[in-house]
Amino acid sequence: MKTRTAGIAIAVVLVGVGIWAYYLSGPEEQPGQIQASEIKWYGFEDGTALARKENKKILVDVYTDWCVWCKKLDKEVYTNAAVGQHMSAHFIAVKLNAESQKSITFEGTSMSEASLASSMGVTGYPTIIFLDPESKPITRISGYMEPKEFTSVLRYVGEDQYKSTSFDEFRKAAAE
């Protein structure tokens, strides 16, 4: 009986390790994918300074190290060619660790990355915050999105459609 229980426990551990390894592995090469490294990611201070200089909007990916959906976003969405194209054209990409105590300066105030995420209303992960070139908020979205839907959001914000139409109207027009 003890041998059978030990065998089951070992099998469960091996399956768990396999699933964990799958989520940590790099993206499989498929048509329409890019390497995540092709998107240039910046820290918050460098990214906001560059956005101001280049007059580009800022996409802030707020994540945690333990967040499975954040890893899935990195692996399956940021490697999508259409996502990469829209991000490069319209945004400076910034990563912000919502649990980091690393000190940054935002609008003349020194704070931790965790404090900044909290002050921006982040309560779940992943959260994507869109800022204008002057670091003023445009909108934020929480949770994981498939590449096609995420590309629509990037177009909506990146092409300034949010200034004149609702997202529902934008999606409806895009589907026609």
Side-chain angles (χ1 to χ4, degrees):
M1 186 70 151
K2 287 184 181 181
T3 305
R4 183 172 182 227
T5 304
I8 292 172
I10 289 170
V12 168
V13 168
L14 289 175
V15 169
V17 168
I19 292 170
W20 177 70
Y22 170 78
Y23 277 107
L24 292 180
S25 66
E28 296 175 17
E29 292 297 324
Q30 295 178 5
Q33 284 193 318
I34 61 172
Q35 292 300 311
S37 60
E38 291 182 38
I39 294 174
K40 176 74 173 149
W41 292 98
Y42 294 90
F44 191 82
E45 291 172 307
D46 291 340
T48 54
L50 183 60
R52 187 173 282 116
K53 179 181 175 186
E54 293 188 6
N55 196 34
K56 281 188 165 182
K57 293 174 190 73
I58 306 160
L59 180 149
V60 182
D61 178 351
V62 184
Y63 71 98
T64 64
D65 291 332
W66 52 263
C67 170
V68 172
W69 291 106
C70 300
K71 292 178 190 330
K72 187 173 172 84
L73 189 68
D74 287 339
K75 183 177 179 181
E76 297 179 8
V77 178
Y78 293 139
T79 59
N80 179 277
V83 169
Q85 176 186 1
H86 286 288
M87 283 182 64
S88 296
H90 300 288
F91 300 96
I92 299 298
V94 170
K95 287 276 192 181
L96 185 73
N97 185 337
E99 294 182 326
S100 172
Q101 294 306 310
K102 177 183 173 192
S103 181
I104 58 172
T105 302
F106 179 57
E107 296 182 339
T109 302
S110 181
M111 64 184 79
S112 69
E113 287 186 349
S115 295
L116 178 58
S118 179
S119 73
M120 292 181 152
V122 176
T123 58
Y125 314 105
T127 294
I128 307 299
I129 300 171
F130 293 97
L131 305 172
D132 72 12
E134 298 299 317
S135 301
K136 303 296 180 220
I138 296 172
T139 193
R140 74 172 179 252
I141 54 174
S142 296
Y144 175 83
M145 289 185 177
E146 294 292 331
K148 185 175 181 181
E149 186 176 7
F150 194 71
T151 301
S152 292
V153 172
L154 292 175
R155 285 188 54 230
Y156 180 70
V157 175
E159 298 170 5
D160 292 332
Q161 297 292 323
Y162 70 94
K163 292 181 177 179
S164 60
T165 188
S166 73
F167 186 63
D168 287 338
E169 291 170 348
F170 172 78
R171 277 197 314 199
K172 189 183 296 182
E176 295 175 351

